[in-house]
Amino acid sequence: MENLSLIDKIYMFIKNNYKASQPFFLKDLYAQFPEIKEGTIRESIRRLLNEEKILKAKNGVYELPNPNRVLKSHVVNTANVIEQTYIKDNKNNIIGYRSGINFANMLGLTSQTASVEVVYSNVVSNRKREIKLNKSRLIINAPRVEVTNENYKLLQILDLLTEFEKYSEYDLKQVELKLLSYISNIKLSYGELERIVEAYPLTAQVKFYKIGGANVITQR
């Protein structure tokens, strides 16, 4: 690899460490090649983009094209980018979750869907903002409580209860079994559960305890 040009060295690293349609990040290349100036790495990435050896999802996020695509024009897999940028870290730990009307739809609370995906993630600052990924729009925000493998489902339900009347086509009583089933495999101590619930508005707290949310969560 010593005789490779700089751009070939970077491209070889990308091909050896990432699969087609798997997002990778500019910051990862900075970390991998600390001896190379960041501006030089960015220029190499621009050349690889021009040669269509890699694809751009958004600033700082790229992927290798899928060779099995029959379409001439490549389209970055937006779902993969969201998953690996905001939902999971590089060790596959949960660091974020989907919320909003599309989550309500997934639970069967509404027939409506939204073209704008709503995501809460640990990697987001406190400022709520909207970004674009290809033709998709994404609203990203910081969670009220740090997201973990153990609590993300609870946070999703509490978000839903915070704006329940906005998202659900049914009364709370009609859908409480669906909500309880979704969080039934969570394992949290009562103290941790209380800490999380108290981070939400009082109206959401009342709804959560009213449906028996605390009772279905398996305590350690």
Side-chain angles (χ1 to χ4, degrees), residues 58-105:
K58 71 183 188 74
N59 288 341
V61 185
Y62 307 89
E63 68 176 47
L64 290 166
N66 188 334
N68 296 322
R69 286 191 184 276
V70 295
L71 297 177
K72 188 174 181 180
S73 59
H74 297 292
V75 179
V76 171
N77 188 318
T78 303
N80 278 352
V81 174
I82 294 173
E83 186 84 6
Q84 298 194 37
T85 307
Y86 301 109
I87 306 296
K88 294 182 179 179
D89 64 15
N90 56 11
K91 295 182 180 178
N92 219 35
N93 292 312
I94 301 293
I95 58 168
Y97 58 87
R98 290 175 170 83
S99 190
I101 199 163
N102 288 339
F103 174 66
N105 176 274

Side-chain angles (χ1 to χ4, degrees), residues 95-173:
I95 58 168
Y97 58 87
R98 290 175 170 83
S99 190
I101 199 163
N102 288 339
F103 174 66
N105 176 274
M106 187 200 82
L107 288 184
L109 274 61
T110 179
S111 58
Q112 298 180 63
T113 58
S115 58
V116 182
E117 190 85 50
V118 178
V119 170
Y120 288 83
S121 176
N122 297 339
V123 302
V124 178
S125 66
N126 289 327
R127 185 170 62 88
K128 179 181 178 180
R129 62 189 188 276
E130 181 178 318
I131 63 173
K132 290 185 178 180
L133 293 173
N134 296 327
K135 296 180 180 180
S136 301
R137 292 159 57 210
L138 177 68
I139 293 176
I140 55 175
N141 206 347
R144 295 172 186 267
V145 176
E146 183 178 6
V147 184
T148 67
N149 294 329
E150 291 77 25
N151 72 16
Y152 77 94
K153 287 187 174 183
L154 175 59
L155 301 184
Q156 285 179 302
I157 292 300
L158 289 169
D159 280 355
L160 181 63
L161 292 174
T162 300
E163 299 187 272
F164 182 79
E165 288 75 19
K166 175 181 176 181
Y167 293 134
S168 180
E169 297 172 0
Y170 303 93
D171 293 335
L172 185 60
K173 188 68 177 177

